[in-house]
Amino acid sequence: MDRRMTDTPFAKVTATDVARLAGVSQSAVSRVFTPGASASKATIAKVRAAAEQLGYRPDPLARAMITGRTRIIGLIVAYLENQFYPVALELLSRALQDRGYHILIFLADNDDRRSAEVMQELIDYRVDGIVTASVAMTNDLTARCEGAGIPVVLFNRGQDDPRLSEVTSDNIAGGRRVAEFLADGGHSRIAHVAGWQGSSTGRDRARGFAEGLAARGLAPFAVIPGDYSRETAARAARALFAGPEVPDAIFVGNDHMAFAVMDTLRFDLRLSIPGDVSVVGYDDVPMAGFPAYDLTTLRQPVRRMVEATVDALLSRIEGQDDPPRKTRIAGPLIIRGSARTTEGRTP
């Protein structure tokens, strides 16, 4: 009988009901609705037909109590204003869903108290794993997750902790590549609007930039913090052009800040890009390719970063006993029209 046609239309349909209608065992029903479990094609067809007829949907909480796994992954991100993170989170969500996992997304910042609150919520949800995007982990939080058996992977952020896996682009090599490109293009007064120096990404890009200039016999014209903030980056751009000597190129620590720098140079200071000053960013978010910006930038290989993150996380969740991984993935410099490639010429 179709349970939806009975006098109690809101009665809960159970796996036992499906098994009875399909003529199989309850364990067979469980295998059909458990990702990765095996069942014959005939059993799958019978169970799914019975489930459709009865309007059955598996209870994930009940399954979690049986298996000890919720198949839920917590994604924590510091902020979404930077276009890089919505793109990365969409790719992470799709990749994890393709592997049979559900996603919980939380916003946090680099405040230890708020991060601790979010992390405790995820532990309370009994998530199987956590991915943090540009959010640091304190020793206490790491120990709590380790004690709860929840693996953590840092995405786009490194940390000197052997218990944690991390996946980043090769930020040192990227900063070095930008410096060499600008120096080889005839620039000699090259400034840096840096990312937040409390993050490994900000520090590593600044370090690579200084090393790249040194290899060409140059030193940074100036290094001013932009802190991954549009407003702070705009103030940095104005400060760079407030004195008698000004830069002929600026490397900005990410595209989000680079757009603010370019807007300030063009519309507040009435300067030409790249005629008066070249600008190079880091990330290659979609807007970097818009004609309004046409930004030369170091591309983060986000798809490969996502693949490495998912592999690192699921290998720990699924019991492969892999040690924590420290993954650095190099990305290419994407040359567009915001920077001169030779003295006085645009690409």
Side-chain angles (χ1 to χ4, degrees), residues 168-203:
T168 70
S169 63
D170 192 336
N171 291 298
I172 295 175
R176 186 184 299 120
R177 176 73 182 92
V178 170
E180 292 169 350
F181 165 76
L182 288 170
D184 292 347
H187 304 86
S188 59
R189 302 183 308 279
I190 308 171
H192 181 36
V193 176
W196 180 51
Q197 295 301 286
S199 69
S200 65
T201 51
R203 294 192 302 271

Side-chain angles (χ1 to χ4, degrees), residues 45-315:
K46 286 192 293 186
V47 168
R48 291 200 176 276
E52 176 64 24
Q53 183 177 337
L54 295 174
Y56 170 75
R57 293 293 180 271
D59 184 340
L61 295 179
R63 186 167 60 199
M65 292 178 67
I66 296 170
T67 64
R69 291 172 54 188
T70 60
R71 301 196 72 85
I72 296 174
I73 303 298
L75 300 181
I76 309 175
V77 62
Y79 71 134
L80 293 173
E81 291 90 343
N82 180 355
Q83 281 190 348
F84 177 75
Y85 289 108
V87 171
L89 287 181
E90 179 180 355
L91 291 172
L92 276 166
S93 297
R94 291 183 182 279
L96 288 165
Q97 287 168 356
D98 286 346
R99 301 282 289 270
Y101 287 84
H102 305 287
I103 312 301
L104 281 178
I105 297 178
F106 284 78
L107 287 174
D109 52 32
N110 287 294
D111 174 77
D112 288 344
R113 182 185 62 80
R114 176 57 184 151
S115 294
E117 290 173 354
V118 169
M119 202 65 66
Q120 188 58 55
E121 287 184 64
L122 288 172
I123 293 172
D124 291 343
Y125 274 109
R126 301 179 64 183
V127 297
D128 287 344
I130 295 173
V131 177
T132 69
S134 282
V135 176
M137 291 282 291
T138 65
N139 286 334
D140 175 61
L141 290 177
T142 302
R144 258 193 264 178
C145 291
E146 192 173 44
I150 300 173
V152 178
V153 178
L154 307 182
F155 179 84
N156 201 36
R157 172 71 62 86
Q159 195 161 318
D160 187 19
D161 190 325
R163 297 169 295 179
L164 296 170
S165 290
E166 62 190 51
V167 177
T168 70
S169 63
D170 192 336
N171 291 298
I172 295 175
R176 186 184 299 120
R177 176 73 182 92
V178 170
E180 292 169 350
F181 165 76
L182 288 170
D184 292 347
H187 304 86
S188 59
R189 302 183 308 279
I190 308 171
H192 181 36
V193 176
W196 180 51
Q197 295 301 286
S199 69
S200 65
T201 51
R203 294 192 302 271
D204 287 350
R205 291 172 193 178
R207 173 186 162 187
F209 170 71
E211 290 177 356
L213 288 184
R216 295 297 192 270
L218 299 171
F221 173 83
V223 177
I224 300 181
D227 293 338
Y228 299 135
S229 159
R230 278 189 58 87
E231 293 75 16
T232 306
R235 288 196 296 272
R238 286 189 284 269
L240 285 170
F241 287 84
E245 189 173 18
V246 298
D248 58 6
I250 305 173
F251 167 42
V252 190
N254 70 8
D255 292 352
H256 178 65
M257 294 189 297
F259 300 140
V261 168
M262 294 178 76
D263 289 343
T264 300
L265 295 176
R266 286 170 169 167
F267 302 115
D268 292 357
L269 303 180
R270 302 296 177 181
L271 296 172
S272 168
I273 300 172
D276 295 316
V277 56
S278 293
V279 177
V280 177
Y282 201 112
D283 280 341
D284 195 29
V285 301
M287 202 160 71
F290 289 7
Y293 291 105
D294 199 25
L295 177 64
T296 293
T297 184
L298 200 294
R299 175 179 291 165
Q300 291 219 72
V302 62
R303 292 184 183 276
R304 292 166 59 200
M305 290 168 66
V306 164
E307 290 171 2
T309 299
V310 171
D311 286 345
L313 186 67
L314 297 193
S315 71

